[in-house]
Amino acid sequence: PSGCVHAAKNGISGYFNRHGSNGDVIQIAKDSAAQGTISVSGGTVSYNAFMGSHYTETTGSDPELGTVMEFIDGLVENKYADQKRLPKAKVSDTAESTKVYGVYISDSDDDTGELVAGLGASWCRIHKDETVAIGDLLVSKGDGTAKVQSDDIIRSKTIGKVTSTTKKVTYSDDSYVLSVVLYCG
């Protein structure tokens, strides 16, 4: 059945089919404005625009958008208590940390945790003294911001790659947020 969605105890719960051509199969919108799609081209399914994020729990006030986060030795307790596989996180305080979990994206709607992006197109907060170029790899500066990695090899400490030098926002400490492709989650 084309476009059929139903509950299933076993087997497929939803079936979406595009006949005859490549293109969007599902469009996702917010306030009636398209935000992304799931499309097909030949045998390839794409999630557009893609950003993978993780639920986490932190202490203290919410960090700013793009703040570098690292996981700590503790698992979430609230929203996903029955899925004790997601780590708690904190603002990264270790330069070039290999425990980088991603970048802070938002507080969840239900006030029980935060979202940290770890993969795909996103944002990253850059230290005020860093001058970056498109294509630079980033690592933790150790204060919640990122700095340019000393080489161009993707490593366990690599946060991601700068995709634009256009600043989204500049904070009161003169750190700034740029668009990046994340590799750390």
Side-chain angles (χ1 to χ4, degrees):
S2 180
C4 177
V5 178
H6 64 279
K9 184 174 182 177
N10 296 310
I12 297 172
S13 294
Y15 182 79
F16 301 91
N17 188 23
R18 182 175 179 90
H19 288 281
S21 65
N22 296 324
D24 294 343
V25 177
I26 296 173
Q27 183 181 76
I28 300 163
K30 179 182 178 194
D31 299 326
S32 300
Q35 300 295 314
T37 63
I38 299 174
S39 63
V40 64
S41 179
T44 303
V45 174
S46 299
Y47 302 90
N48 315 296
F50 175 75
M51 179 187 71
S53 63
H54 309 284
Y55 169 84
T56 193
E57 295 165 1
T58 64
T59 58
S61 59
D62 292 338
E64 302 284 1
L65 172 73
T67 297
V68 179
M69 305 293 289
E70 61 184 63
F71 52 84
I72 61 173
D73 191 16
L75 300 175
V76 299
E77 299 169 1
N78 294 323
K79 187 173 180 181
Y80 295 107
D82 59 338
Q83 297 181 26
K84 290 256 185 184
R85 62 183 172 83
L86 300 171
K88 290 183 178 184
K90 66 176 183 176
V91 173
S92 180
D93 59 4
T94 306
E96 302 188 24
S97 175
T98 58
K99 297 184 289 183
V100 169
Y101 194 38
V103 297
Y104 185 86
I105 295 300
S106 71
D107 189 20
S108 67
D109 288 339
D110 57 13
D111 267 349
T112 60
E114 295 81 31
L115 293 177
V116 173
L119 186 64
S122 189
W123 305 101
C124 189
R125 186 174 173 188
I126 311 298
H127 191 272
K128 68 177 182 169
D129 296 332
E130 289 294 311
T131 302
V132 299
I134 294 174
D136 280 347
L137 295 177
L138 301 171
V139 295
S140 176
K141 175 92 171 161
D143 62 358
T145 65
K147 65 179 184 174
V148 175
Q149 185 173 302
S150 62
D151 62 22
D152 62 355
I153 300 168
I154 297 172
R155 301 182 182 280
S156 60
K157 63 184 178 181
T158 304
I159 299 168
K161 181 186 290 193
V162 175
T163 57
S164 173
T165 57
T166 302
K167 295 176 183 176
K168 176 177 176 60
V169 65
T170 301
Y171 295 116
S172 60
D173 65 357
D174 290 330
S175 65
Y176 55 95
V177 175
L178 298 180
S179 64
V180 298
V181 177
L182 299 172
Y183 301 148
C184 54

